[in-house]
Amino acid sequence: MPPSSRIGLFISFLLVLVFSILMTFTSVRTYVLYGSYTGLTDHFNTIGVVFLIFWMTLCTLFLRIVHATLALSATNFALIYAGLMVATVLPSMGFGGYFIPLIAGVFYYATPENNWSDILWPHIPSWAAPRDIEAIRQLFEGTSEGASIPWDLWWEPMLWWGLFMLAFFLVSFALIALVHNQWSQRERLAYPLAAVPNMLLDSIEKPRTSILRSKLLWLGFFFAWHFPTINALDQLFDFELIGHMGIPSGEISIRQFGLSYQLNTDLLVVGLSYLVNLNVLASVWVFHLLVGAEASLLNYLGINAPLPAQPHAPANVLLAHQQIGSLLCLVAVSLWLGRDFLREQWHIIIGKQSDSENLVSPRIAALLGLIGLVYMAGFLHASGLALGWSLVFLGVSLLVFFGITRLLAQTGIGRLRAPTSTPPIITNIAGSEAIGAQGISALGLSMVWTADLQLFLMGTLAHAFRVCEPARLRISGRKLLVFLSGAMIVGLVTTILSYIYLGYRHGLVHGYVWYFVMSPQYHWSWVANTINNPNPSEPLAILFMGIGAAWAALLSLASYRWVSWPFHPVGLAVALTNTVSIDWFGMFLAWLIKLLILRYGGIVLYRRMLPLFIGLILGTSVGIGGASLLYAFYYY
């Protein structure tokens, strides 16, 4: 490698570390100090990452005008993007927003009425959470000015949980490394969420044909950018003449049948959905309407399982299991389609076949994944879950993560999420009595990483691999792993230390109410209720999982047998998730616009209009990114 390339690579590595710190700290600071949802690092649309790589692209194009050697190369751009896709997971939905509030909240929110001190505390290992009640109270309520932060209480939980997340990173990296070529090269999945970073990458390589030269792009950009920007200025400076700006929303209600559908139009959703296949878009909004009607029918008939309310599930628990059945069926279909490729990977791992195709050696991936799996299983067992149940729970959780990642690569739904959290799946199918109070409490601790599954490492790593895969970039697996690991470690440390420091200085309860007030009570209440009211295996839950799997199998068969089949099975797996309930109308609008464009203007008009929708994505991301910086640093 020439010296100049080495220097550029080193500078790029420093940039990914700096950007990871900036993004994670900004996100944490907005949640603790601004105290409201921003969207910067909350979903697979990865607004914070798009915000940073947009400005990085503009700076690179400017520096190229000044002097060609100053510009960032396409290879280094792709590596920085990959690292940021790891860091964006850590500060909110993917880990940080639940880690500190859950392990400390089980003590802070204990009252004589809920009796958590007797039901839960004896089952929480001392190494997994601090036990100093006064120190925890200060974390949630803040300390007096000048008071010291009791860091010594947090080093042990930070160490073990930090190692757990690193192990989870290794497992996620390994699984994506093993299946990436099957998804990207052989099945040619669309990866719509990788479209914008790839277009920015092309702009760096070929500035004269850059999509950033399109007037339509900048029209969409400024139209989408002005909404979050003006709203932020209004909130910070109280511009009464402006007021809150946004596209009007509404609701359709059919009271006689108990039906209600939200009508929200998010320009980011419209922009991203324009990149998605028509049959996928149709599947999501059609099945949202149909499964919503199914929920109303079940409620009318009084068909529901006698189970406690489930975290992050629809009101009718049976439909959560129906969606999980569909999701697991889609995983099985994916593995069946890739059976020959996976057999090849196995032969490479055991040395029967040479490898010249994979970005990361299957042997290295398998070794790293095995190390991560051993630690994760050991962690679950040490936290109180029997070894057998630890392996079952870990397997089911990884299947859910894998399934959502597959759907994400295939559909590009920016706020895709799992139909429910993983722990209730185990207790409903196997029965909570079989797991025991200690095991249920261990499942409660696992809510840190298996509760609100709408942003996680496996999903973002899939897109990091997609952007880094072109042979012309000459990115080796070792180089990629170094950038990803550096962002992971720096982002993890920044996230944990920021929450603890800002918590003691300002008080977590004054921050974002979902993370710091509602979430600990919501999740630990389920744990306590499950321990107090143990339930046997629920036959109806198993039945509805079978129904969901059967419908997904039939739709998968139809999709692969008939090219013109209008519905993809993905809609069955996510029909009643709260994000689809919010975004379905925007997806419907994008489907309608795209349908009309393709019908009356063909692929030529579709491509001509593409910059407008890319502009909506960039404008929203840059607007929210700038607003988040204002929220985080203007007042405080």
Side-chain angles (χ1 to χ4, degrees):
M1 182 184 293
S4 59
S5 299
R6 293 175 183 172
I7 293 172
L9 192 65
F10 177 71
I11 292 173
S12 299
F13 185 70
L14 290 181
L15 283 176
V16 82
L17 299 185
V18 171
F19 288 160
S20 296
I21 293 171
L22 173 64
M23 184 167 58
T24 52
F25 182 69
T26 300
S27 181
V28 173
R29 194 171 169 88
T30 56
Y31 281 118
V32 177
L33 300 182
Y34 173 61
S36 186
Y37 169 86
T38 63
L40 184 71
T41 59
D42 295 275
H43 305 288
F44 287 116
N45 50 36
T46 58
I47 289 173
V49 177
V50 175
F51 171 75
L52 287 171
I53 63 172
F54 169 78
W55 288 111
M56 192 165 61
T57 302
L58 293 187
C59 289
T60 297
L61 295 175
F62 173 75
L63 290 173
R64 180 165 290 165
I65 295 173
V66 176
H67 199 288
T69 58
L70 297 176
L72 190 71
S73 71
T75 297
N76 292 338
F77 175 91
L79 287 169
I80 292 173
Y81 167 78
L84 292 177
M85 288 296 278
V86 169
T88 193
V89 172
L90 300 170
S92 57
M93 295 289 184
F95 173 67
Y98 293 109
F99 169 49
I100 298 294
L102 283 183
I103 68 170
V106 67
F107 300 101
Y108 181 73
Y109 290 104
T111 65
E113 291 76 20
N114 62 35
N115 199 30
W116 288 359
S117 59
D118 293 331
I119 300 171
L120 301 177
W121 290 8
H123 304 304
I124 306 297
S126 59
W127 55 265
R131 305 300 290 259
D132 189 319
I133 304 301
E134 176 58 22
I136 290 173
R137 184 195 66 78
Q138 292 175 349
L139 173 72
F140 279 89
E141 298 177 10
T143 59
S144 58
E145 188 173 349
S148 61
I149 296 175
W151 291 107
D152 55 312
L153 293 175
W154 292 97
W155 292 127
E156 189 174 15
M158 283 194 297
L159 172 64
W160 297 118
W161 279 102
L163 290 174
F164 179 88
M165 287 303 295
L166 288 174
F168 189 23
F169 162 74
L170 293 179
V171 173
S172 301
F173 177 85
L175 288 174
I176 294 303
L178 290 172
V179 302
H180 173 71
N181 272 15
Q182 168 64 23
W183 290 1
S184 178
Q185 301 300 320
R186 301 197 180 187
E187 295 184 49
R188 297 188 180 279
L189 299 185
Y191 289 86
L193 290 174
V196 168
N198 272 324
M199 288 178 186
L200 295 178
L201 181 67
D202 290 340
S203 297
I204 288 176
E205 288 188 299
K206 304 169 185 175
R208 293 184 179 181
T209 59
S210 170
I211 194 172
L212 296 177
R213 289 177 172 268
S214 169
K215 294 178 181 178
L216 267 181
L217 181 141
W218 292 106
L219 175 65
F221 179 95
F222 285 110
F223 179 67
W225 170 82
H226 90 280
F227 286 110
T229 302
I230 291 179
N231 288 337
L233 294 175
D234 177 48
Q235 290 188 47
L236 293 174
F237 302 106
D238 195 21
F239 291 162
E240 295 183 1
L241 293 178
I242 297 178
H244 182 82
M245 296 190 68
I247 296 176
S249 59
E251 184 178 88
I252 297 176
S253 297
I254 307 175
R255 295 181 181 178
Q256 296 88 334
F257 300 103
L259 281 172
S260 178
Y261 299 109
Q262 298 182 50
L263 301 177
N264 301 302
T265 306
D266 186 326
L267 295 177
L268 179 60
V269 172
V270 174
L272 288 171
S273 299
Y274 188 77
L275 306 173
V276 180
N277 292 336
L278 283 174
N279 65 334
V280 170
L281 287 175
S283 170
V284 174
W285 71 262
V286 167
F287 284 117
H288 173 68
L289 299 179
L290 291 178
V291 179
E294 180 189 4
S296 296
L297 178 61
L298 292 178
N299 292 336
Y300 177 77
L301 297 176
I303 300 175
N304 206 339
L307 295 168
Q310 311 282 287
H312 308 284
N316 192 305
V317 174
L318 296 177
L319 292 180
H321 288 273
Q322 179 176 297
Q323 293 176 96
I324 286 292
S326 298
L327 180 65
L328 295 180
C329 177
L330 295 179
V331 171
V333 170
S334 171
L335 295 176
W336 173 257
L337 291 174
R339 62 193 182 280
D340 293 335
F341 177 78
L342 293 175
R343 190 180 298 115
E344 292 173 14
Q345 298 291 79
W346 173 248
H347 287 160
I348 294 171
I349 290 171
I350 62 177
K352 286 188 176 181
Q353 186 174 327
S354 61
D355 176 40
S356 60
E357 185 182 3
N358 292 282
L359 181 59
V360 176
S361 165
R363 289 185 180 181
I364 298 298
L367 177 61
L368 294 176
L370 182 61
I371 293 171
L373 283 172
V374 169
Y375 184 87
M376 292 179 76
F379 182 97
L380 290 170
H381 181 54
S383 66
L385 197 58
L387 183 58
W389 286 119
S390 296
L391 296 175
V392 170
F393 177 70
L394 184 57
V396 172
S397 298
L398 291 177
L399 283 175
V400 173
F401 284 118
F402 185 84
I404 294 298
T405 301
R406 163 77 187 205
L407 297 187
L408 191 68
Q410 198 160 6
T411 68
I413 300 173
R415 299 209 293 179
L416 194 66
R417 59 166 297 160
T420 184
S421 55
T422 312
I425 301 173
I426 303 297
T427 59
N428 295 342
I429 300 303
S432 59
E433 293 174 318
I435 300 173
Q438 182 69 56
I440 299 297
S441 297
L443 293 181
L445 283 173
S446 77
M447 293 283 191
V448 167
W449 61 284
T450 60
D452 202 2
L453 303 186
Q454 52 186 316
L455 184 64
F456 47 83
L457 288 164
M458 206 178 295
T460 57
L461 282 170
H463 292 80
F465 271 70
R466 174 69 167 188
V467 172
C468 291
E469 72 176 356
R472 70 182 189 277
L473 297 179
R474 298 180 181 179
I475 294 176
S476 66
R478 182 173 61 181
K479 194 182 298 182
L480 177 61
L481 183 59
V482 168
F483 270 74
L484 296 177
S485 301
M488 179 71 193
I489 293 170
V490 167
L492 190 61
V493 171
T494 303
T495 294
I496 297 174
L497 295 183
S498 297
Y499 271 115
I500 294 174
Y501 175 80
L502 293 173
Y504 279 105
R505 288 291 173 258
H506 301 277
L508 293 181
V509 292
H510 306 301
Y512 185 38
V513 68
W514 165 247
Y515 283 149
F516 308 127
V517 180
M518 296 174 63
S519 168
Q521 299 178 72
Y522 177 71
H523 293 103
W524 286 114
S525 291
W526 175 82
V527 176
N529 289 338
T530 305
I531 292 174
N532 278 337
N533 305 288
N535 61 275
S537 175
E538 178 50 58
L540 276 178
I542 299 173
L543 173 63
F544 272 76
M545 282 186 71
I547 292 172
W551 276 113
L554 289 173
L555 281 176
S556 296
L557 180 62
S559 296
Y560 287 105
R561 286 289 296 271
W562 299 298
V563 176
S564 59
W565 182 257
F567 301 115
H568 192 280
V570 62
L572 288 171
V574 296
L576 286 188
T577 60
N578 66 332
T579 49
V580 168
S581 297
I582 296 169
D583 292 339
W584 77 271
F585 187 67
M587 299 179 73
F588 164 75
L589 290 178
W591 170 84
L592 183 60
I593 293 168
K594 186 173 181 178
L595 179 68
L596 294 173
I597 285 175
L598 289 174
R599 176 162 297 179
Y600 296 106
I603 193 66
V604 173
L605 182 59
Y606 168 78
R607 289 173 177 168
R608 189 174 298 168
M609 295 300 296
L610 179 61
L612 175 66
F613 293 89
I614 298 299
L616 295 180
I617 298 170
L618 289 173
T620 304
S621 299
V622 172
I624 292 176
S628 297
L629 289 173
L630 286 174
Y631 294 146
F633 299 107
Y634 176 74
Y635 276 133
Y636 306 99

